[in-house]
Amino acid sequence: MNIVLGVTGGIAAYKAVLLARLFVEAGHEVHVVPTADALRFVGLPTWEAISRHPVTSSVHDDVPEVRHVALGQRADLVVVAPATANTLARMAAGLADDLLGTTLLATTAPVLVAPAMHTEMWQHAATQHNVETLRGRGIAFVGPDSGRLTGDDSGPGRMSEPTQIFAAAQSLLAGRHPHASESQIIVDQPTSDLAGLTVLVSAGGTREPIDPVRYLGNRSSGRQGVAIAAAAAARGAQVVLLSANVDASVLGEVGERSTTRVVPVGTAAELEAAARTEAAGADVIIMAAAVADYRVAEVSEGKLRKEDTGGTPPTLQLVENPDILRGLVVSRAPGQTIVGFAAETVEGEDELLERGRRKLARKGVDLLAVNAVGWIEGFESAGNTLYILDRTGEVVRRINGTKRETADGLLDSVLAVRLARDIL
Ligand code: C5P
């Protein structure tokens, strides 16, 4: 398909390079039309190298080809990413003072817009009015997300991840959203963006035996890990799920797929052995299971009985379990992406992120998914709020939703990390 990628002058222009790359790798013809301002962020050679086509922002180049309308006429889809507040205003007004403007007026193809700007600019009445005008004309929007913005700011206004925009674009191309105005935010996942990858996921909580009938355990239901496994499989990955004491009713959510293999484990030691074996063939490792930090030093052969201790409560000697995640990071295979989880009881968001950042430094993972837990929050609930931190400690995504939605968001971030690594 013929895709015109309009890039406008925001810092998120660098992420549009990844988007262009995704389109090219999916077999599309990509013509990048940057605004003059966009070229201050990312230069012409980059766009030409990635798109494999000449690039200009001027209506005065290639005049014999009538380029100022030809690109729009030939397009099957026009994507504007990032779209600044200024660009949204220009689009709403129908201004055509550069190649992107003329292209947008000349096209009858679907148009998908990924806004990116500071929260105040996004929420300004003028911008919201322009967005409504554009939606009324059938233009589709993806995002903006809420997250880290330029400088120290964060909030709504962050451009959606390239993988999300790519997914939305594929949906439009596939005609799944013929009436784009009805689908203001398109979040359909492509069915196969993880094809060719093997994803190893751990779910549930380990149990450390005290005696044949008792154990030290935790309240992790396994729902989040199972949701990740199910989402990865739905997106085309080969999945190995290390299931630590996950209830059958929860485990059932992974369904019966030939591409998903479940390996049951009980203790941290069993999880470690299975993780080491399976990690060898994995491209992505996501350790969502809650692992007991300690195990009982000497497990009793027989059941501990009150009468045997004369009514005195027994003292359990504990020894530390290995940090499985850290071990996987240390012996990581080339190209492997490793994701950890951090469930924390905290007073507020600041403390949650602070603890997350410290854990990130200790574990050395590519991404850390952080969430708050407590007596009510987190463990057995259907929903979750996940903060995803990258290696630098930046919150690259904040996802609030069902565990399946947070799973898909996490997988989007995994893809973004892998894509950035391949390109940069
Ligand atoms: O240190 P903490 O338990 O908070 O770290 C949580 C992350 O580390 C999770 O991804 C969990 O699966 C993993 N972990 C591990 N081995 C341990 C403890 C935690 O792999 N012994």
Side-chain angles (χ1 to χ4, degrees), residues 287-289 291-293 321-325 340-341 344 359 363:
M287 294 292 280
V291 185
D293 288 329
N321 276 330
D323 189 326
I324 304 166
L325 183 58
F341 265 73
E344 302 289 346
K359 187 155 297 178
K363 304 271 184 182

Side-chain angles (χ1 to χ4, degrees), residues 14 148 158 356-357 360-361 365-370 387-397 413 417:
Y14 80 93
R148 179 88 187 264
R158 181 183 167 89
R357 288 186 180 116
L360 188 75
V365 288
D366 298 295
L367 293 170
L368 188 74
V370 187
Y387 294 80
I388 302 178
L389 307 183
D390 70 6
R391 294 183 81 94
T392 66
E394 185 186 333
V395 179
V396 288
R397 199 177 272 256
S413 291
V417 162

Side-chain angles (χ1 to χ4, degrees), residues 238-307:
Q238 295 281 335
V239 174
V240 181
L241 174 61
L242 306 179
S243 165
N245 308 297
V246 179
D247 194 78
S249 62
V250 174
L251 199 54
E253 287 168 38
V254 288
E256 293 281 318
R257 283 179 191 267
S258 60
T259 51
T260 302
R261 186 158 53 87
V262 178
V263 180
V265 295
T267 63
E270 287 168 15
L271 177 57
E272 185 186 32
R276 278 187 188 280
T277 306
E278 301 295 343
D283 302 291
V284 177
I285 300 175
I286 303 176
M287 294 292 280
V291 185
D293 288 329
Y294 303 100
R295 66 180 181 279
V296 178
E298 272 184 55
V299 179
S300 171
E301 279 298 317
K303 185 181 166 191
L304 295 176
R305 294 188 184 84
K306 261 195 216 168
E307 60 261 34

Side-chain angles (χ1 to χ4, degrees), residues 12 115 126 131 142-143 154 168 186 228 244 251 318 357 370:
V131 169
V142 54
S154 72
I186 299 166
I228 294 168
L251 199 54
L318 301 180
R357 288 186 180 116
V370 187

Side-chain angles (χ1 to χ4, degrees), residues 17-28 162-163 166 419 423:
V17 178
L18 308 189
L19 180 60
R21 171 80 170 251
L22 280 175
F23 285 143
V24 171
E25 284 185 356
H28 300 300
T163 48
F166 175 76
L419 204 65
I423 291 174

